[in-house]
Amino acid sequence: NAGVTQTPKFQVLKTGQSMTLQCAQDMNHNSMYWYRQDPGMGLRLIYYSASEGTTDKGEVPNGYNVSRLNKREFSLRLESAAPSQTSVYFCASTQTGNYGYTFGSGTRLTVV
Amino acid sequence: DAKTTQPNSMESNEEEPVHLPCNHSTISGTDYIHWYRQLPSQGPEYVIHGLTSNVNNRMASLAIAEDRKSSTLILHRATLRDAAVYYCPGAGSYQLTFGKGTKLSVIP
């Protein structure tokens, strides 16, 4: 059971570089999410996709873009990385809001 | 957005029951109550969720107050592997809003 798969697991970027975090789920879930977690903090929602073909901003969308490529995949792009984006990024999916969410194991991103 | 309140930390002795509280002061009538836990260096893990009635699964039990303004996650016999941060995020139609959660320490 793969669940939610995130790649890469670790990444170091220089300020100003760009990168895309990949997320894929194999549970046929409708909704997908990107969260970030800073040390000692809870998770904050960056963007979400309630269904294939739709995306919406969460609490902290600035500096990020997303693409819901198909029902399985939801990517997060940093166009010009900043040190403030150093964080652990989690992807999650669910069938709908009335079901439990499944989270990936995270991408640990450091921007120097 | 729905918000919740939890104690910052709790302790429990191993093999004793643990009752983790959560206040859902802004919950709406159709919002489910969710609980997740996060072990060190891992992603959050689903524990349990429910709407109005108490719920049980292999991991835990969820007790929901009649007015739904509070809930309690019950671990029937705490083990060292249950040491984690437990979250009861505020739940809207399409998103969960996480606070800092409750850090549970289990004492051998």
Side-chain angles (χ1 to χ4, degrees):
Chain A
N1 296 334
V4 176
T5 302
Q6 292 184 235
T7 55
K9 294 191 183 306
F10 300 93
Q11 184 71 48
V12 179
L13 288 179
K14 293 182 179 179
T15 297
Q17 286 185 320
S18 62
M19 80 162 294
T20 300
L21 281 65
Q22 306 286 355
C23 175
Q25 52 91 9
D26 63 359
M27 297 167 286
N28 202 36
H29 284 171
N30 289 317
S31 304
M32 298 186 73
Y33 304 80
W34 277 106
Y35 287 88
R36 62 176 286 175
Q37 186 175 35
D38 299 319
M41 303 292 289
L43 286 77
R44 291 185 292 170
L45 183 64
I46 305 171
Y47 271 94
Y48 66 99
S49 171
S51 60
E52 187 178 357
T54 69
T55 60
D56 285 285
K57 296 178 180 179
E59 180 186 355
V60 289
N62 290 345
Y64 305 95
N65 286 300
V66 291
S67 295
R68 183 74 182 267
L69 304 171
N70 48 55
K71 192 170 186 179
R72 289 187 64 248
E73 299 172 287
F74 189 38
S75 64
L76 178 71
R77 183 161 178 84
L78 287 70
E79 291 290 351
S80 179
S84 61
Q85 294 178 305
T86 294
S87 190
V88 182
Y89 292 84
F90 291 103
C91 178
S93 71
T94 186
Q95 183 63 12
T96 70
N98 295 339
Y99 289 78
Y101 287 47
T102 302
F103 285 81
S105 58
T107 295
R108 283 160 177 74
L109 175 66
T110 301
V111 183
V112 297
Chain B
D1 289 344
K3 295 192 184 299
T4 60
T5 306
Q6 300 177 254
N8 290 333
S9 62
M10 292 184 63
E11 280 188 350
S12 174
N13 293 318
E14 193 176 10
E15 301 201 359
E16 290 189 355
V18 182
H19 291 229
L20 295 160
C22 180
N23 287 325
H24 307 263
S25 58
T26 61
I27 195 169
S28 72
T30 57
D31 291 343
Y32 275 70
I33 292 172
H34 291 243
W35 281 85
Y36 295 80
R37 72 179 186 181
Q38 187 173 25
L39 279 66
S41 300
Q42 294 190 24
E45 175 188 25
Y46 167 81
V47 177
I48 200 166
H49 79 299
L51 186 60
T52 55
S53 303
N54 295 344
V55 184
N56 300 293
N57 66 21
R58 62 174 181 82
M59 291 181 68
S61 295
L62 174 61
I64 300 173
E66 193 169 340
D67 64 2
R68 300 196 344 111
K69 298 297 185 184
S70 65
S71 69
T72 302
L73 179 70
I74 303 165
L75 307 179
H76 296 286
R77 289 182 66 224
T79 70
L80 297 179
R81 290 175 295 177
D82 292 323
V85 178
Y86 287 78
Y87 298 99
C88 62
S93 298
Y94 291 110
Q95 57 184 278
L96 299 177
T97 302
F98 287 80
K100 295 184 180 180
T102 297
K103 183 175 183 179
L104 176 66
S105 301
V106 180
I107 303 167

